[in-house]
Amino acid sequence: MRLRKKHFAIPEMKENPFVFYDGEKYKGKWMEVFENNNPIYLELGAGKGTFTAQSAMDNPNINYIMVEMESNAFIYGTRKILEYKLTNVRALPIKAENILNYFEDEEISRIYINFCTPWPKLKHQKRRLTYPDFLKKYKVILKDGGDIYLKTDDRDFFEDSLKYFEDQRFMEVLRDFDMKEEEYPLNIVTEYERKWRDQNKPICFGVFEKYVD
Ligand SMILES: C[S@@+](CC[C@H](N)C(=O)[O-])C[C@H]1O[C@@H](n2cnc3c(N)ncnc32)[C@H](O)[C@@H]1O
């Protein structure tokens, strides 16, 4: 079922000073946007923004940029910035494919990928946000020692992703095929994660670090 387009979403986001429709202009200059030199963390496919909003409240000394291509969901994420006065959050309404147009080499300290579409069919797998073409781009914008946090409810997708990260020479710091909530007291539960946890679906979690040989 396709959701009906929310026609108010894009005009409203364009009025929001924390949403950047001209984000290319700030490539290499995000520190100036935040007016500090705190680390910058990206969330790709941020949806309704619950994860970044909570992370930003818990970590005022980190800057967050949410990336999301669907205005129907993102309108709610971008509203949260204003609602909770999150001065350390900005929003980019773009496709993750184009990330290199928006960030300079080594501008980013961490990337979160939470419950991205698993695209099980072989012909669609190149759309996965962990597919090697994407990992190559993330490697450019991540600092040395920067990392990628991946959570998913789809074990097959997770196992494929472990291979992609290994092939792209990321260092696997952690893998967990059943991330129990009680073992990760600092975990911030996303919208999709809540749905799957309520159905007792195991959640896979991995952390992968960029390192220089
Ligand atoms: C299943 S939802 C998960 C939303 C949220 N991260 C969560 O955990 O609740 C996946 C989101 O990723 C977004 N997405 C998928 N592919 C994307 C891409 N190439 N660039 C930007 N966003 C993407 C979708 O629009 C959708 O909002």
Side-chain angles (χ1 to χ4, degrees), residues 60 96 199:
Q199 295 174 23

Side-chain angles (χ1 to χ4, degrees), residues 21-54:
Y21 277 90
D22 55 353
E24 285 116 321
K25 280 204 314 209
Y26 300 96
K27 180 174 174 166
K29 296 182 185 151
W30 289 99
M31 261 168 35
E32 292 170 27
V33 171
F34 288 106
E35 298 179 344
N36 61 49
N37 55 7
N38 292 338
I40 301 175
Y41 290 5
L42 292 187
E43 186 192 2
L44 303 180
K48 294 182 182 171
T50 306
F51 176 84
T52 286
Q54 188 60 56

Side-chain angles (χ1 to χ4, degrees), residues 112-139:
Y112 291 103
I113 303 172
N114 295 320
F115 301 87
C116 65
T117 317
W119 297 112
K121 286 190 185 149
L122 200 58
K123 65 176 178 182
H124 294 145
Q125 288 181 358
K126 57 179 179 298
R127 299 181 191 169
R128 291 172 162 177
L129 292 185
T130 57
Y131 202 71
D133 289 349
F134 282 93
L135 295 188
K136 285 177 189 151
K137 294 177 184 174
Y138 306 156
K139 224 173 180 178

